[in-house]
């Protein structure tokens, strides 16, 4: 572990711990013994595909398909939770049912998938949302660091935990 990573671990506030974990996964993939698939495996590609699918359902406000990819008792940390762990799907459901959306696209940049076992994986990535504000005719992008833990239950992969960092908004002239 590099000195810069250790310095960040011991100098950041507790609410930034998820960002540190995301950075650690991205900078130094976990190497575990065993015969399960590696990060270039079909399973890792499936995790990346499922994560993009989950984000696409979020953009489309498709609650039915979004909730099918999440475990009912999913946990997570996100800015809207103000430092509290979110438990279950009801927190997200509120946003699906009450938020309107402007035209936008979500991209996963620099994904790092680590297969922890044949039944579990973690993905860390930078999420870029490109949005258009039609009222001001402005195009802008928002980025956040995110990580998700996936677990295979039977034949189905489900998102069981996530972490989202604070977002940064950048306007494009």
């Amino acid at each position: 572990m590099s000195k810069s990573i250790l310095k960040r671990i011991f100098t950041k506030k507790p609410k930034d711990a998820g960002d540190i974990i995301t950075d650690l996964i991205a900078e130094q993939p976990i190497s575990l013994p065993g015969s399960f698939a590696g990060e270039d495996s079909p399973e890792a590609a499936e995790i990346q595909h499922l994560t993009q699918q989950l984000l696409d359902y979020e953009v489309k406000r498709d609650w039915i398909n979004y909730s099918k990819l999440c475990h009912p008792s999913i946990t997570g940390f996100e800015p809207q939770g103000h430092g509290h762990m979110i438990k279950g799907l009801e927190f997200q459901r509120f946003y699906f049912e009450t938020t309107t959306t402007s035209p936008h696209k979500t991209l996963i940049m620099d994904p790092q998938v680590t297969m922890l076992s044949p039944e579990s994986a973690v993905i860390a990535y930078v999420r870029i949302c490109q949005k258009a504000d039609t009222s001001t005719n402005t195009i802008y992008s928002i980025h956040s660091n995110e990580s998700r833990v996936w677990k295979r239950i039977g034949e189905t992969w489900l998102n069981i935990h996530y972490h989202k960092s604070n977002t940064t908004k950048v306007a494009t002239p």
Side-chain angles (χ1 to χ4, degrees), residues 89-148:
L89 287 167
E90 288 307 307
F91 188 84
Q92 286 85 8
R93 183 182 201 129
F94 173 81
Y95 291 100
F96 276 79
E97 294 175 349
T98 60
T99 307
T100 59
T101 182
S102 59
H104 69 284
K105 180 179 182 178
T106 298
L107 304 168
I108 293 176
M109 305 298 291
D110 301 322
Q112 175 67 52
V113 177
T114 302
M115 299 302 300
L116 301 174
S117 75
E119 293 83 28
S120 62
V122 65
I123 181 170
Y125 54 92
V126 176
R127 179 179 183 174
I128 305 286
C129 293
Q130 298 171 303
K131 294 187 174 195
D133 183 342
T134 55
S135 66
T136 61
N137 203 27
T138 305
I139 297 173
Y140 60 94
S141 62
I142 298 173
H143 86 273
S144 62
N145 297 324
E146 297 186 6
S147 57
R148 294 182 181 273

Side-chain angles (χ1 to χ4, degrees), residues 158-171:
L158 294 176
N159 184 204
I160 61 168
H161 180 78
Y162 65 92
H163 174 86
K164 299 178 184 180
S165 69
N166 288 322
T167 58
T168 303
K169 181 177 177 178
V170 178

Side-chain angles (χ1 to χ4, degrees), residues 53-103:
Q53 207 172 28
L54 187 75
L55 299 179
D56 290 344
Y57 292 145
E58 188 177 303
V59 168
K60 296 174 188 173
R61 300 292 188 248
D62 183 346
W63 175 253
I64 292 171
N65 286 312
Y66 178 90
S67 61
K68 287 179 184 177
L69 290 176
C70 297
H71 193 276
S73 61
I74 189 171
T75 58
F77 291 98
E78 59 182 284
Q80 296 87 340
H82 299 282
H84 298 276
M85 182 185 297
I86 307 301
K87 297 176 183 174
L89 287 167
E90 288 307 307
F91 188 84
Q92 286 85 8
R93 183 182 201 129
F94 173 81
Y95 291 100
F96 276 79
E97 294 175 349
T98 60
T99 307
T100 59
T101 182
S102 59

